[in-house]
């Protein structure tokens, strides 16, 4: 269950890109069927929504919980606007 706005946005994006009904914040991106091509889509959509997300962040973090934590703490850059 998403606990923050960043997690909620990333859950929506993961589900849409991976063609799933629902994604948990603790699901591993690659176990869900994610790959490098889809990673580009995830990062593009996250960036459009104002999240400072990179492919490197996705590959290192692998779960929404960890990605959102990195984004919130600024480890991936400046926090986004979530427009």
């Amino acid at each position: 269950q998403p606990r923050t706005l960043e997690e909620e946005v990333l859950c929506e994006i993961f589900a849409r890109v991976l063609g799933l009904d629902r994604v948990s914040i603790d699901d591993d991106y690659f176990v869900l069927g994610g790959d490098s091509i889809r990673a580009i889509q995830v990062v593009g959509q996250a960036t459009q929504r104002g999240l400072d997300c990179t492919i490197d962040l996705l590959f290192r973090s692998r779960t929404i919980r960890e990605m959102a934590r990195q984004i919130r703490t600024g480890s991936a850059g400046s926090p986004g606007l979530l427009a």
Side-chain angles (χ1 to χ4, degrees):
Q1 185 74 359
R3 302 161 302 155
T4 66
L5 187 55
E6 292 92 349
E7 288 177 354
E8 185 177 328
V9 169
L10 288 169
C11 281
E12 290 172 13
I13 292 169
F14 271 41
R16 183 172 42 250
V17 169
L18 298 173
L20 302 170
D21 291 332
R22 190 164 179 223
V23 174
S24 164
I25 62 171
D26 293 312
D27 287 338
D28 184 294
Y29 173 75
F30 294 102
V31 172
L32 293 173
D35 57 29
S36 52
I37 299 298
R38 289 186 179 111
I40 295 167
Q41 295 174 326
V42 169
V43 169
Q45 290 183 32
T47 301
Q48 287 177 340
R49 295 287 301 271
L51 294 176
D52 189 9
C53 183
T54 64
I55 290 178
D56 181 57
L57 174 65
L58 175 57
F59 281 24
R60 278 186 294 116
S61 302
R62 299 175 66 135
T63 68
I64 289 169
R65 180 189 301 267
E66 183 60 24
M67 286 180 68
R69 187 183 72 75
Q70 295 294 324
I71 289 168
R72 279 196 309 277
T73 62
S75 296
S78 302
L81 301 175
L82 297 171

